[in-house]
Each structure stands twice: as structure tokens, then as C-alpha cells.
Amino acid sequence: MIHFEKFKLKNNLTVIVHNDTSTPLACMNILYDVGARDEDESKTGFAHLFEHLMFGGSIHIPNYDSPLQLVGGENNAFTTNDITNYHLTLPANNLETAFWLESDRMLSLAFTEKSLEVQRGVVIEEFKQRYLNQPYGDVWLNLRPLAYKKHPYRWPTIGKEISHIENATLADVKSFFKKFYSPSNAIMVVSGNVTTEQVKELSEKWFEPIPAGTKLKRELPPEPPQTEERKQTLYSDVPVDAIYKTYHMCARNDDDYYATDLISDILSRGNSSRLYLELIKNKQLFSEINAYVMGDIDKGLFCISGKLSEGVEMSKAENAIDTEIMKLQNELVNERELKKCTNKIEASLEFSELDILSKATNLAVFELLGDASNINRESEKYVKVTPHDLQRVAREILTPSNCSTLYYLKKQN
Amino acid sequence: MLDRTHAPAFNTIDSLKIEHAQSDQLENGIPVYCVNGGTQELVRIDFIFPAGTCFQPKTLVSSFALQMLENGTINYTEEEIAENLDFFGSYYSTRTDHEHSYITLFSLNKHLKNSLHYVTDIIKNASFPEKEFKLLMTNSKQDFIIESKKVSVLGRRRFFELLYGNTNPFGKIAKENDFDELKREELYQFYKENYNLANCTILVAGKLPNNLFEILNENFGNENIKKINQLNWPELKIQSTAQREHRVEKPDAIQNSIRIGRLIFNQQHPDYFKFNILNTILGGYFGSRLMSNIREDKGYTYGIGSGLVMNNYTGLFMIGTEVGSDVSDLALKEIYHEIEILQQEKVPLEELQIVKNYICGNLLRSIDGPFAVADNFLSIWKMEADYSFFDHKIKAILDCTPDDIQQLAQQYLQKNDLIEVVTGKIQ
């Protein structure tokens, strides 16, 4: 159970406070309601590039990092297809420094050509390091456009291609900031050894003077239902053949999200899961295999991906996956197997409540999804799922016509 | 009017109140260290054995002996163990380092008794079944082959090999056919020799349940353990390369991996604390000289850093990065340039202050929560030091001057002493 208090400033900034006196630290997490899905399709990778620019100095403070390090703080940020999230931790008695730094960059950035030029270079190297110079690194660059035809989830956060990053201009940066980086479009969580009164006072002092901006109205093209099986084969310099299968699934706020997530757990969470026992241990078709949901806010993807054991034919491996899927569709999961998965989720939720940073980030995400207090209802939502729910969802989504498959094969010399 | 140009006043850390792990023991004398704290009804238990890579007779043995433990016992199959640990919502994990191996159980308190039953059996009665062994080796070999496609992995392996020499267990690098040649019996023998309860240390962290010792004694405290003599750490030979520059070709690479560094002292050395500050200035945090120049000014890389890898034999200092293959030589030049500046010019007081405060902030983060307090304890337990280590550390941080930093850079970072490995597309 995570206790918290919530209030809104006059400029619409939502503020959440979670008090935890067991730590000498405080954490500030600011979530901006903007991700790669909000990008123009000819300017992809921009939300993430912008995240880098947020560290290039703000209107009154030339350098973000040094003043934070000077007071013993540390920070980081990440961008997904849905959100851009910034977080820092620091000694609780230096909390005001966090307010000073974060409010100034919400007010305005410095917008220098030099910062843009350098961060373009950094992000291009990130593109190479994570997506191009690793075996299987470009899987999602290929798989997303196979699975999505309309919705902007069809490109990854790093962007479709390097040229989009190379072509970013300072004017693009400014208009992006104006559109998305405002109090109306942000959620702030302060957690740790802090009080609500203190956070309220500091929020009013540092954040309330910032102009409210306008709440983003999102009108993204919905992904039309998939009606035909899609397949793509890719040859690359990898040592082992791999298969990636995606199925369209419900949105994060849909009631069926929990059943879908549990199906992925039944298939591959832990060494007693079905895919591990059947396909890795008994049939020895795969050296590794996983099933997971992407967790996207809009209608997302359920994925199964695996690396084939040496000498195994792709068709045999794929048939074995299909057999496991049919088992889910034809036979009810027994109560003990389901209980095992919900027990595991209960434990992982408890463990995620150990540190103030993950609590702060999770509170912000749940508030974005509609209401921060839902963070305390997750466990019961999983427990409510029945074997019939699992069967129904498996029958609905794990069908060939809803599936996109990428065969990632080693190049023959 | 609010003045946004001036930073708010702040406090510095000049002392730390570090919560100590409590020392106790089971009925048969097995030492138990406890860190009681946290808000959730759960614990982490580490079972620590002196079974790290320094003991292994050949490559892969220490790590795979440990990985085999959960693959079946004389009482339960792998599947039964996994099924039950999963059912109780518990997490089981293992890791090895240079000296020790760690078997870790994460469990909700309400399931601790049931979960521990299986972990106890894993530790005491592992049977190393042949079928599971074969599968583990086959799949691990495949994983090894995939990893070998990465410039960062190739570079790191070569770097350790060059610094420690290929007769040293920290330097000897596994080859593909080592996975074929390893025998189940070799792992089982390593287990029998090195996982003796008489050498076990238990570390518990979390909100400790009242019946913790009752449960631990039931599982580990009842049998007599053979008292053995003081543990003998094996003597290891180090044979570093005499050549400074090394290249590993991977012609299709679009980024090169760079490793530069040397063997140095470990934490017991009087220069350790201040050298750690020098390391932080050079490459140990986001605002470091290397990050500021090579990422934030030149944009050559997504990240660059330096760090210290410590063990009880010696320590290792290493700079590491992946840079665009086309700017690899330029990046090398800038790295040595930053080292030279530290040797030739005194670090500004303002920058030194930032680094000191940043390190102190990290100290505070390192004692945040029971698991962090336990890890902190582990770091001094491993080097057989006591909590005064942290007092010395803070004192050294507060005392450190720009002269100290310059002198250490001159003494320990001479280019001739630094081994350089570039992996990727070599021009």
C-alpha cells in the first residue's frame, strides 16, 4: 500500500507527494505526457532527442548537472513511445535545489545551436550502439512497421532512421517544447523524506509562476484491425536463427490487460513456465524464449521471441510455439498454475515498493493513466482474472490473422 | 520577484550515520549478519561461499557449478524446485565474483519457510544431473557465441586477458570449445570442495520475521559442521602484457570499443580513496572530464566512463567507451589529452567540490534501504575491514586537495603504463 497526497497548482501542474521517513533521500519525478507516438512521421526520434536537449541548460541556469551534483544529487531520464520521464534523487535536506532546477527547465530551455549539434551526434552514436552495432539490435526497427500500418507505434523511440535526427532544426526544438513541455502536460511526484506542506510551499514558489500552457489533445490514427497474417524474413550477420511474433492486444487501461499479461507469465515467467519446460527443456528447440506484453498505453503488442537451438528447422520451432498457443485456447489453465502467476506478481509489486524512485515513477505513470490510487489496486486486478478469461483472451488475440512474424536468420556464406 | 539565477542554499555531508549489520550465528556456529529495516514484509537472504573464480581449476567452472545448483537435487527435480519457488512468489538468483559465490533468495516473509526449504536443498543436496548439465552447456555456448559478436564484449575480454595474463583465472578467457569439453564431474567436484557449510556466511536484509532464526536453524543450524582451518586463498600469478597498444579487428563494426587502463592497488592501499576521487573527476560521473569532452562537446559517443574493479588480490583501473569507428583515433587522442591536463594543471576547487559532494551523495544512496545497507556491509566484509573504512573514506574526501589529484595523476596515469585495446574497424 502506497500512501500519497495529491494537489493541483493554479497552472494545472499535478503534484503528488509520497512520504517515506525511512530514507534520508528525496526523489523528484517529472513525467511529461509526450512520447514517440506524438511525433510527425517525417521527424521521428524527436521526443527522445528532445530529452537529451533538456540537459543542455535552461533559461536561467546554463548547466543542469553541475548544480545537482554539487548538492549530492543524481539524475536520469528515459523516453518511451508514450512518455518522457525525468527523475532525480538527492539528500532530502537539499530538496529545494531540485525545485529550482526542474522548474527552470519547465519554464524555458536555453535553446543553443551548440547543444543541438552535439546531442544530434550523441543520439546518432546511441542509434549505432544500441540498434545497429549489436546482433539482433535492429529487430524493432523492422518489426514495428510490420505490426503497425497506421498508428505511430510503427517507429521506435530512437526514430525510423538516422537522417531524421540529422535533420532536426532549432525551430523544431522550440515548437516541440512549446507544444508539450508545460505544467498542463506534466505530472510531478516528490517522494522520500519530505512533507506535503513543504512540497506544497516549494511547488507554489518555483512552479506556480510558470504559464499553464495547454493540455495536449491527442488525436492519433487508430491502428485498423489486422485481418491477414504478416511475415517478413531478414538475413543478417548473426550466429543463430531467431523468431519474433507479435499479436495486437488491448490498451493498458482495458480490463483485459491483466489477463493478457498473465498469459505471457504462464508462457514464460520463470523456469517452471510452459515455454521454458516444453520448448527449451523437453523438446530442446530453443536456447531461449520469452513471451511478454509491451505495456503500451494505446492498443499494444503481445510478443513471443526466441532463439533457435543449433540445427533446428524454423518450421518445427514455430509449430511448437503454435502448439502451446492452441493449448491455451483449448484447455483451461488450472487454478494452481494461475495462482502461481498471481503470487509472483504480488511479490514483485511488494519488491517494487522498496525504493522511493520506483514508487515515484510508478505513481506518475498511474496518474497519467487516470488515477494514481490505482497503483494500490493492481494486485487485486490480477487476482480477479479467471481461467475462462485467459482462454477467452487467448482465443481472441493469439490468432494467425492477428499475428506478424519476423524471421531473423543468419546469413549463409 | 523570484530570483531564478541563484541556486538555493544547500547542506553538505560531512559525516554519515551508517546503520551496522548485526552479527549473530546459528546453533552450529554458521555466521549470520542481519540488517533489519524497510517498510515491506519481505527479506533477501544471501548464502555466501568462498567459491569465486580465484578457486577455479579451469575456465567456466566456478560460474557453471553455481548455475547447476538449481538444476536438481537428490530430493527434487529442477522442475519441482522451480515450480515451488515460483508458486511461493520467490525469486532465486546467483552470481559469482573473483572470490565468492552468492546464492540469493528474495521472499515475502509469509512464504519464507516454504521457499527456504528448496533453497536449503539446492545448497546441501545438489545432484548435477547429466541431462540438465548438457542442456545448460549447449544453451550457454550459443549465448557465448552471440555475445562474441559485440565489440564491447570482445574488447573487455581481451583487456582482462592482457592485464592478468592467460594463466590467471581473472585473465583466462573462455573459448567456444571449452563449453564442449567441460565435464559434469568437474563441476560436481568443485561444488563438493567449495560449498562446504563450514565456509558459509549468511546475510539477511529486510523486515526480519520473528521466527527468522528458528527457520534458519531448522535448515542450516542442526547438523554439525566440520570445523576447518583458516581459509587459504589461492596464490595467483599475474603476467601483464609488455606491449602497450593492442588492436582486435572486426571489420564490419560501425562503432569501435576502446579500453584503456592498468592494474593498480585495491581498497587497502593508502592512495585508494583519493585515487577514487581522481577517477570520478576523469570519468566517474556524468559531469566528468571525459563525458564533458568526448560526449557533451564532441558528440563522438553515447557514453564514456572510467572505473575501478577491485578484488582482494589487486585492483584494476579502466576507461571504456564505444565510439563511431570513423572517430576512433580522435577519441583516443582526446582521452590522453584529458589525462595530460590532469597531470599538468590543478583541478579547480569548484570542480573538486562538486565531485566531493557527489561522492558523498552516493555514499548516502549506498545506505538507502535494507538491501543497500546489506550491500554496503558486504563491501567491507569482503575485504575483511570494519566500519571505520567509511570514516577513513569520508575523511580522505574532505582532506583531498588539487595537489593530491595532480600528484596521483602523475604517479598512476602515465601513458606508458596504460594498456590500450581498440576493437572494431581498424584504420
Side-chain angles (χ1 to χ4, degrees):
Chain A
M1 185 77 179
I2 301 175
H3 296 276
F4 65 92
E5 289 187 78
K6 183 163 86 177
F7 56 91
K8 248 186 200 286
L9 299 182
K10 283 178 192 144
N11 59 8
N12 286 332
L13 179 67
T14 303
V15 185
I16 292 172
V17 187
H18 167 67
N19 170 253
D20 178 349
T21 52
S22 72
T23 171
L25 299 168
C27 167
M28 178 179 279
N29 186 95
I30 300 186
L31 181 157
Y32 289 93
D33 185 5
V34 54
R37 64 175 164 167
D38 299 304
E39 293 160 353
D40 185 312
E41 65 179 303
S42 63
K43 291 175 182 177
T44 64
F46 211 87
H48 169 251
L49 174 64
F50 194 87
E51 173 213 314
H52 280 248
L53 296 170
M54 281 285 277
F55 296 90
S58 54
I59 181 107
H60 300 104
I61 308 171
N63 181 315
Y64 174 90
D65 289 287
S66 303
L68 183 62
Q69 286 146 359
L70 183 65
V71 305
E74 191 174 65
N75 70 282
N76 214 329
F78 63 84
T79 307
T80 73
N81 292 75
D82 294 318
I83 62 167
T84 313
N85 193 65
Y86 302 81
H87 53 80
L88 62 84
T89 59
L90 77 181
N93 59 3
N94 291 333
L95 182 63
E96 187 158 9
T97 304
F99 279 85
W100 171 63
L101 285 168
E102 290 296 344
S103 64
D104 201 52
R105 63 179 182 175
M106 190 182 287
L107 182 64
S108 183
L109 292 186
F111 298 117
T112 66
E113 279 290 354
K114 166 82 182 169
S115 169
L116 175 60
E117 186 198 320
V118 166
Q119 292 310 317
R120 271 196 301 244
V122 171
V123 170
I124 288 168
E125 289 307 320
E126 182 180 359
F127 202 126
K128 292 181 193 165
Q129 183 172 328
R130 293 167 70 155
Y131 295 81
L132 303 182
N133 210 31
Q134 305 284 340
Y136 315 100
D138 60 351
V139 161
W140 288 99
L141 286 168
N142 289 284
L143 197 46
R144 281 182 176 275
L146 186 66
Y148 291 103
K149 297 299 168 193
K150 284 271 182 264
H151 192 282
Y153 283 164
R154 69 185 186 276
W155 56 82
T157 52
I158 196 76
K160 276 184 197 171
E161 49 192 273
I162 284 181
S163 69
H164 285 192
I165 298 158
E166 282 168 341
N167 296 335
T169 68
L170 206 54
D172 293 333
V173 174
K174 282 182 182 165
S175 73
F176 195 86
F177 182 83
K178 198 157 169 270
K179 189 166 174 193
F180 298 109
Y181 279 73
S182 67
S184 303
N185 230 17
I187 296 162
M188 174 161 84
V189 182
V190 183
S191 64
N193 208 331
V194 299
T195 65
T196 305
E197 293 70 41
Q198 178 193 16
V199 172
K200 202 164 193 170
E201 191 189 315
L202 288 168
S203 300
E204 284 164 2
K205 175 177 173 185
W206 291 102
F207 281 92
E208 208 155 57
I210 303 172
T214 41
K215 174 81 190 139
L216 174 72
K217 280 209 189 71
R218 195 171 265 116
E219 286 167 356
L220 301 177
E223 183 64 20
Q226 186 176 336
T227 53
E228 274 187 340
E229 202 171 359
R230 295 174 192 156
K231 291 185 172 182
Q232 186 184 332
T233 303
L234 207 79
Y235 293 92
S236 181
D237 177 29
V238 291
V240 171
D241 291 343
I243 181 170
Y244 298 83
K245 291 175 87 70
T246 68
Y247 302 85
H248 293 281
M249 61 171 277
C250 64
R252 181 65 181 84
N253 267 338
D254 195 294
D255 287 344
D256 276 343
Y257 175 83
Y258 300 91
T260 317
D261 193 25
L262 279 167
I263 291 173
S264 74
D265 287 353
I266 281 170
L267 286 177
S268 89
R269 189 165 187 161
N271 286 3
S272 71
S273 61
R274 291 183 177 192
L275 295 183
Y276 178 82
L277 288 178
E278 271 310 303
L279 305 197
I280 295 183
K281 275 210 78 175
N282 292 345
K283 299 194 177 128
Q284 308 202 354
L285 298 172
F286 288 88
S287 64
E288 60 171 80
I289 187 159
N290 285 298
Y292 48 96
V293 302
M294 302 282 277
D296 298 307
I297 292 181
D298 295 334
K299 286 183 180 179
L301 293 177
F302 179 100
C303 313
I304 298 175
S305 63
K307 299 210 168 71
L308 274 62
S309 298
E310 209 182 315
V312 171
E313 265 180 52
M314 182 57 82
S315 58
K316 198 173 173 196
E318 191 171 17
N319 284 340
I321 294 175
D322 290 338
T323 304
E324 288 306 313
I325 288 173
M326 283 194 287
K327 228 184 273 175
L328 283 167
Q329 292 166 333
N330 297 335
E331 298 161 30
L332 283 179
V333 171
N334 76 46
E335 292 284 351
R336 182 182 154 106
E337 192 177 6
L338 179 55
K339 180 89 172 101
K340 179 181 75 178
C341 293
T342 52
N343 280 351
K344 200 96 188 182
I345 286 170
E346 182 199 359
S348 72
L349 289 170
E350 287 285 326
F351 278 96
S352 76
E353 289 185 23
L354 277 179
D355 72 294
I356 53 171
L357 175 57
S358 65
K359 282 189 283 192
T361 306
N362 289 337
L363 279 166
V365 169
F366 277 96
E367 179 64 16
L368 178 72
L369 287 169
D371 182 357
S373 64
N374 281 333
I375 198 171
N376 293 318
R377 297 186 194 109
E378 281 291 273
S379 194
E380 71 187 68
K381 284 179 182 170
Y382 280 103
V383 171
K384 268 194 195 150
V385 174
T386 67
H388 283 98
D389 293 330
L390 297 178
Q391 187 176 44
R392 177 179 51 78
V393 172
R395 284 176 176 172
E396 271 168 30
I397 69 167
L398 300 179
T399 63
S401 64
N402 190 35
C403 180
S404 302
T405 306
L406 180 68
Y407 304 102
Y408 201 111
L409 307 181
K410 57 179 166 187
K411 220 185 284 176
Q412 306 292 338
N413 290 326
Chain B
M1 188 65 187
L2 185 59
D3 179 7
R4 291 185 180 272
T5 56
H6 285 92
F10 67 96
N11 305 286
T12 53
I13 300 164
D14 42 26
S15 68
L16 268 194
K17 203 173 136 270
I18 295 185
E19 192 194 332
H20 292 201
Q22 299 302 309
S23 162
D24 215 318
Q25 60 177 35
L26 299 187
E27 280 156 15
N28 56 3
I30 293 178
V32 180
Y33 297 93
C34 293
V35 176
N36 195 4
T39 50
Q40 313 303 113
E41 294 287 338
L42 50 82
V43 287
R44 179 188 102 180
I45 307 184
D46 294 297
F47 299 91
I48 307 166
F49 291 91
T53 44
C54 72
F55 292 99
Q56 69 185 13
K58 58 194 269 194
T59 175
L60 305 178
V61 170
S62 159
S63 154
F64 283 99
L66 179 61
Q67 289 181 57
M68 274 306 293
L69 294 186
E70 67 192 280
N71 275 284
T73 70
I74 56 174
N75 299 308
Y76 301 105
T77 64
E78 183 210 6
E79 187 178 339
E80 287 168 330
I81 293 166
E83 165 70 23
N84 283 290
L85 286 176
D86 282 341
F87 185 77
F88 295 116
S90 300
Y91 291 83
Y92 169 91
S93 69
T94 59
R95 69 184 168 95
T96 54
D97 61 23
H98 289 133
E99 292 92 6
H100 294 96
S101 70
Y102 307 78
I103 296 156
T104 305
L105 171 69
F106 295 89
S107 174
L108 298 183
N109 287 345
K110 63 181 177 182
H111 297 311
L112 181 60
K113 194 180 159 84
N114 286 324
S115 305
L116 197 57
H117 172 76
Y118 294 94
V119 175
T120 305
D121 207 45
I122 285 170
I123 292 172
K124 287 185 184 173
N125 301 317
S127 61
F128 288 57
E130 182 72 31
K131 183 176 165 242
E132 274 71 14
F133 164 73
K134 280 263 181 295
L135 186 62
L136 176 66
M137 297 321 296
T138 307
N139 291 343
S140 302
K141 181 183 170 186
Q142 190 151 313
D143 193 41
F144 178 85
I145 293 170
I146 295 170
E147 286 295 300
S148 304
K149 287 276 173 188
K150 301 177 181 170
V151 289
S152 59
V153 171
L154 293 175
R156 190 178 63 232
R157 286 183 191 154
R158 184 85 181 114
F159 187 73
F160 275 80
E161 188 176 35
L162 288 165
L163 285 190
Y164 283 106
N166 65 8
T167 56
N168 185 297
F170 307 152
K172 190 167 173 55
I173 303 304
K175 306 275 183 295
E176 257 180 69
N177 62 1
D178 291 343
F179 290 83
D180 304 323
E181 286 165 13
L182 196 62
K183 293 195 174 53
R184 176 223 167 248
E185 288 67 32
E186 292 171 304
L187 300 186
Y188 188 68
Q189 193 190 341
F190 188 83
Y191 163 65
K192 280 290 168 199
E193 283 170 7
N194 294 285
Y195 286 79
N196 187 327
L197 280 186
N199 280 333
C200 180
T201 301
I202 300 175
L203 173 59
V204 192
K207 209 164 172 181
L208 307 187
N210 291 330
N211 60 351
L212 175 69
F213 275 82
E214 194 187 310
I215 300 176
L216 285 175
N217 272 316
E218 270 169 28
N219 285 286
F220 293 97
N222 288 339
E223 56 201 275
N224 283 323
I225 50 176
K226 275 190 219 118
K227 195 158 170 58
I228 53 167
N229 298 327
Q230 183 76 24
L231 183 73
N232 288 319
W233 296 98
E235 300 234 346
L236 302 180
K237 260 196 213 122
I238 294 176
Q239 278 179 306
S240 292
T241 175
Q243 187 189 332
R244 205 191 80 75
E245 290 180 18
H246 299 262
R247 300 290 180 262
V248 181
E249 291 261 9
K250 191 172 182 299
D252 59 340
I254 57 172
Q255 280 192 324
N256 288 3
S257 150
I258 295 175
R259 303 269 160 179
I260 295 171
R262 60 170 296 176
L263 291 182
I264 198 166
F265 39 71
N266 63 13
Q267 301 103 308
Q268 277 93 341
H269 191 277
D271 283 341
Y272 166 72
F273 295 116
K274 288 181 181 175
F275 186 83
N276 188 38
I277 299 173
L278 167 62
N279 167 60
T280 309
I281 294 170
L282 177 64
Y285 74 124
F286 193 87
S288 69
R289 299 273 177 103
L290 291 175
M291 275 294 261
S292 301
N293 178 347
I294 292 159
R295 174 179 145 133
E296 290 296 300
D297 187 58
K298 307 287 189 310
Y300 290 161
T301 179
Y302 179 47
I304 181 166
S306 66
L308 300 162
V309 183
M310 295 291 160
N311 61 54
N312 280 351
Y313 293 89
T314 180
L316 182 150
F317 164 74
M318 175 167 74
I319 296 166
T321 184
E322 282 158 71
V323 301
S325 299
D326 50 332
V327 291
S328 181
D329 290 342
L330 292 172
L332 280 175
K333 203 177 122 221
E334 292 300 330
I335 291 170
Y336 291 115
H337 180 62
E338 287 301 335
I339 292 172
E340 275 165 30
I341 295 175
L342 284 167
Q343 290 164 340
Q344 286 160 7
E345 297 169 20
K346 293 196 196 334
V347 53
L349 277 173
E350 195 188 345
E351 182 182 356
L352 184 59
Q353 194 60 49
I354 288 176
V355 168
K356 286 179 174 190
N357 293 358
Y358 173 76
I359 294 175
C360 287
N362 274 347
L363 273 173
L364 204 59
R365 277 182 278 277
S366 80
I367 52 166
D368 180 28
F371 294 176
V373 172
D375 289 337
N376 208 43
F377 165 74
L378 205 53
S379 70
I380 53 171
W381 175 83
K382 273 180 67 67
M383 58 178 136
E384 292 165 13
D386 59 35
Y387 278 100
S388 67
F389 178 84
F390 296 107
D391 300 329
H392 296 306
K393 181 165 183 164
I394 290 184
K395 188 173 181 311
I397 293 168
L398 297 176
D399 288 349
C400 185
T401 65
D403 288 306
D404 293 335
I405 296 298
Q406 185 177 25
Q407 188 262 319
L408 288 169
Q410 289 167 355
Q411 189 176 346
Y412 293 111
L413 299 183
Q414 288 301 326
K415 189 173 178 182
N416 286 336
D417 298 329
L418 299 175
I419 304 303
E420 171 190 304
V421 180
V422 180
T423 307
K425 191 174 177 176
I426 309 300
Q427 274 145 15

